[in-house]
Amino acid sequence: MTEGRRGKRPDRWVRAMALVLLGTGLLVGCTPSDPPKPPEVKAPGADTTPPVAPQGLSATASTGGVTLSWTANTEADLAGYRVSRSASASGTFTVLTTLLTAPSYTDTTAPQGVSSYYQVVSVDKSGNASAPSNVSAIRPSPLLGRATLTSLDSGPFTDRLVFSRIGPLASPPSNGVHDRAAVRITNTGGAILQVTGLPITGPWALDPSLALPLDIAPGKAQDVQLLFKAQSLTVQGAKVHTGTLTVESNDVAAPRQVIQLAGVWQSLSESGQEPTLEDIVQGGFGFQTKFAPGSDINRQGSVVPQGDEVIAPYWQRADATRPVTVQQLAAYHTQGDVARLRWFTKGSTDSNEVLAQAGIDGQSVLPRKNGTNDPALSTFSPASTFGFRVDSESSDSTFNDQNADRGNGCTDPCGQHVRFFKARDRGGQIMPGTYLLIMDYSGINYDYNDNIYLIGNLKPASILIDVGLGAGEKSTDPQGNVWVSDRDRNGYALFTPNTAKNEPDGGPNMGLDILGTTYDALYRTYRGNVGSLMPRALSYSIPLENGPQTLRLHFADLAHTTAGKRVFDVVAEGQNVLPNLDIVKEAGGGNTALVKTVNVQVAGGVLNLTLSASVDYPSIAGIEIVR
């Protein structure tokens, strides 16, 4: 064998030595292929309990970033905290940190002007992670202008301006009209806001005009004033014009903000040219309140609920800690007359003025308060149940002149000249505690656009009927609530036959002690004797809005002390809600109060209640419709 061949090793020997060296890790720069790792399985007894999620997580945003802070965890094996961020509440979260030991973190990379959503978890030394705690914040931009719009009109919606005018621009009548309104653009950002466009659709114009582009410094504002210029009906022949004002700017978050415009036009003051209730409330202000099927609100003053109407002669504050708010939306009555809205305590003769509308604005939306240029807005804080009056017309129809109604074809009960409807916003949603008061002067035309008010913090009071009192009489319970007779001061009876007697004969025994109550006066009168009529049935028809209603029916037998002497059914809305009612049996004796609560579904705008006796006559002392 030659020397050259003696200096080499066979290939098999080299490969074998390499494998040995790889196995011992002595061969530098080479590694063996790692076999696949099986899933990690913790040994029995290993810690698998996660720590508590971070508590009290809060976020404070500034131009420098978003600072998160939370209460430190108390677990002994806590390793730290991990923070993640997403552009949406449900989006994918990106981890921002390694494990933090301090309970705070400032995100200096948060985007400016948009929401950032954060999750913070606690991690222990075994690698267990808690459920996330969540918070969000918007990092403000120091380098952007922000356009914040504010309506300077007095309308109920901040992004809708409502106008009205009469006749031609060149020679309008001397009426006060609401043909001007304004929007204020305030720069709430940290740099110059540049308004680049103010395009308008519909018969409106900037007055005065503005030169564009318009620069608004941080913290400063610019008012944009609009003039309603309609001189005719719309192309479709409607009295309500609509349009938009768009504020275009370099606000990257809201470069185009739209204000809705609506204007009511009429050719002449009064003279049958006034806008309708629907024109004003729905077309003008945008409420979606339902008034009447087929838009026929005229019922000649009959007390019949329509659409979203609530039958409520009397009211209470929805929140007793806050005042009632009132805004007059429109006045379309005799030009020059001042309309006055008042409230009065139920059962009292007091009269408390809320606001008076300027007479010159007697044909206008958003009229001014009398003697001022201020909008007709006000508040008041009644201490108890109250009613409303607009001039001589009352929310309690029994106080109103009903003769003109009957002359126009009203079916009793009449006098419904002040009416209330649930206010629905532009999305059709009911506005809690908010109602539209509409009214019409007695016997005029029943179009209910004479005066229109938006009233807040309001709820209908329970309807309380003291059965068997004399016509127009009333009583007061220990809580100060006033109960009225089932025959009003005009003689109209809620019951049939209307010859059913006030009982007991000779009037109530004022000294009679009624057991089981502190309101003896309610039970000392009752009704049920229908004379010789058969069957012996007494029926009540009480105007009431459709839907579920809760009744509390009050009874006391003043004629019998033995069970079985008086037995009758109580049928409400066609359902026998109290079959074979025996007052003495259920109350435990005579001269003892019995109260029964029943739930009914009213349909047809009338609560129908019938008491039909199989033994003696029926008897009822009080009817309470709970609100």
Side-chain angles (χ1 to χ4, degrees):
M1 184 177 292
T2 64
E3 184 177 346
R5 290 179 59 85
R6 190 182 304 120
K8 291 185 177 182
R9 301 292 184 188
D11 290 343
R12 286 181 297 174
W13 184 88
V14 172
R15 285 196 297 271
M17 290 301 295
L19 288 172
V20 171
L21 293 173
L22 282 170
T24 62
L26 297 176
L27 185 61
V28 178
C30 298
T31 59
S33 297
D34 292 331
K37 291 185 178 180
E40 182 179 355
V41 178
K42 293 191 177 183
D47 178 12
T48 60
T49 303
V52 174
Q55 302 296 301
L57 178 61
S58 64
T60 303
S62 66
T63 56
V66 177
T67 297
L68 309 178
S69 60
W70 57 92
T71 303
N73 283 39
T74 58
E75 292 89 346
D77 63 341
L78 184 75
Y81 309 94
R82 188 165 57 239
V83 179
S84 303
R85 185 183 71 214
S86 174
S88 68
S90 59
T92 302
F93 282 82
T94 301
V95 176
L96 300 179
T97 67
T98 57
L99 282 181
L100 304 172
T101 57
S104 63
Y105 173 72
T106 298
D107 179 13
T108 59
T109 64
Q112 297 175 336
V114 296
S115 293
S116 291
Y117 298 85
Y118 294 92
Q119 289 187 343
V120 181
V121 299
S122 307
V123 181
D124 65 19
K125 292 177 181 177
S126 297
N128 300 308
S130 72
S133 293
N134 298 278
V135 73
S136 65
I138 299 176
R139 179 185 179 186
S141 171
L143 303 175
L144 298 176
R146 296 299 306 271
T148 299
L149 306 187
T150 306
S151 169
L152 300 184
D153 203 4
S154 59
F157 302 119
T158 58
D159 60 346
R160 187 181 182 95
L161 304 182
V162 184
F163 304 75
S164 66
R165 63 177 318 278
I166 304 172
L169 288 167
S171 56
S174 59
N175 297 60
V177 293
H178 190 74
D179 61 348
R180 291 179 178 272
V183 174
R184 177 164 294 166
I185 307 172
T186 303
N187 182 1
T188 55
I192 293 292
L193 173 71
Q194 187 172 80
V195 178
T196 55
L198 294 168
I200 296 171
T201 64
W204 284 268
L206 298 181
D207 188 17
S209 61
L210 295 171
L212 299 175
L214 174 67
D215 290 344
I216 303 176
K220 300 298 182 180
Q222 173 66 53
D223 291 349
V224 178
Q225 301 186 49
L226 291 97
L227 173 66
F228 181 42
K229 300 181 66 176
Q231 300 189 82
S232 65
L233 302 176
T234 68
V235 174
Q236 295 77 23
K239 292 182 179 179
V240 182
H241 295 259
T242 58
T244 58
L245 164 69
T246 303
V247 178
E248 299 174 342
S249 71
N250 65 344
D251 182 341
V252 296
R256 300 181 79 255
Q257 299 188 58
V258 178
I259 299 291
Q260 298 177 357
L261 308 176
V264 180
W265 181 85
Q266 63 196 90
S267 59
L268 298 170
S269 174
E270 304 177 73
S271 305
Q273 299 302 306
E274 297 173 352
T276 67
L277 172 69
E278 291 79 9
D279 286 338
I280 299 163
V281 176
Q282 297 171 347
F285 289 96
F287 290 99
Q288 294 302 302
T289 295
K290 301 171 185 176
F291 289 110
S295 299
D296 186 8
I297 196 72
N298 185 351
R299 288 293 182 271
Q300 297 84 35
S302 183
V303 186
V304 179
Q306 298 174 268
D308 287 323
E309 186 169 8
V310 175
I311 299 297
Y314 294 97
W315 296 82
Q316 295 172 340
R317 283 189 279 175
D319 180 348
T321 66
R322 296 171 44 238
V324 177
T325 61
V326 178
Q327 177 178 23
Q328 188 162 2
L329 298 183
Y332 283 92
H333 51 73
T334 301
Q335 172 66 16
D337 285 357
V338 176
R340 300 180 187 275
L341 176 70
R342 297 179 174 90
W343 68 269
F344 64 95
T345 304
K346 183 180 181 182
S348 174
T349 59
D350 62 350
S351 181
N352 310 280
E353 186 167 303
V354 178
L355 60 83
Q357 152 260 316
I360 194 172
D361 293 347
Q363 293 273 295
S364 178
V365 302
L366 297 172
R368 291 165 291 186
K369 189 179 294 186
N370 193 35
T372 75
N373 282 320
D374 300 328
L377 299 166
S378 189
T379 63
F380 65 99
S381 298
S384 58
T385 302
F386 62 94
F388 288 94
R389 285 196 183 95
V390 183
D391 293 335
S392 62
E393 305 297 345
S394 173
S395 58
D396 186 337
S397 61
T398 67
F399 291 134
N400 297 332
D401 179 7
Q402 300 172 5
N403 291 328
D405 299 342
R406 296 188 183 99
N408 283 295
C410 173
T411 301
D412 280 326
C414 301
Q416 190 78 331
H417 306 154
V418 176
R419 303 171 68 174
F420 299 86
F421 288 77
K422 297 175 183 176
R424 292 183 182 269
D425 64 20
R426 286 171 293 168
Q429 299 301 306
I430 292 176
M431 300 167 64
T434 307
Y435 294 82
L436 289 158
L437 185 163
I438 65 174
M439 65 82 60
D440 200 82
Y441 293 102
S442 175
I444 305 300
N445 55 13
Y446 306 101
D447 57 6
Y448 294 94
N449 68 352
D450 289 3
N451 292 287
I452 302 172
Y453 303 86
L454 183 67
I455 307 182
N457 192 31
L458 207 61
K459 68 175 183 179
S462 295
I463 295 175
L464 307 175
I465 303 172
D466 187 342
V467 172
L469 285 179
E473 293 182 355
K474 58 183 180 290
S475 63
T476 304
D477 65 24
Q479 290 73 42
N481 300 307
V482 176
W483 295 61
V484 298
S485 171
D486 54 354
R487 194 191 298 270
D488 71 23
R489 70 190 189 103
N490 304 300
Y492 175 76
L494 291 171
F495 53 89
T496 55
N498 60 14
T499 55
K501 299 194 310 180
N502 294 354
E503 297 188 80
D505 290 337
N509 178 356
M510 303 307 292
L512 180 62
D513 182 25
I514 305 295
L515 304 179
T517 183
T518 58
Y519 185 21
D520 293 44
L522 177 66
Y523 300 94
R524 287 173 181 154
T525 62
Y526 61 98
R527 196 177 302 280
N529 187 339
V530 295
S532 60
L533 294 176
M534 295 298 290
R536 292 181 168 182
L538 178 69
S539 295
Y540 280 85
S541 297
I542 304 172
L544 195 63
E545 64 271 14
N546 295 340
Q549 302 287 349
T550 297
L551 312 181
R552 283 167 52 86
L553 305 179
H554 299 258
F555 308 92
D557 199 324
L558 308 190
H560 302 291
T561 58
T562 304
K565 297 295 186 179
R566 185 195 305 274
V567 180
F568 58 97
D569 293 338
V570 178
V571 176
E573 291 296 293
Q575 301 295 315
N576 194 344
V577 294
L578 297 174
N580 297 315
L581 179 63
D582 186 328
I583 301 172
V584 172
K585 180 180 179 181
E586 294 210 27
N591 299 336
T592 303
L594 174 67
V595 181
K596 289 290 191 178
T597 300
V598 297
N599 296 307
V600 299
Q601 187 78 21
V602 173
V606 178
L607 168 64
N608 294 296
L609 192 67
T610 298
L611 296 82
S612 182
S614 56
V615 180
D616 202 348
Y617 292 106
S619 174
I620 187 167
I623 301 171
E624 183 178 358
I625 301 170
V626 181
R627 270 20 193 315

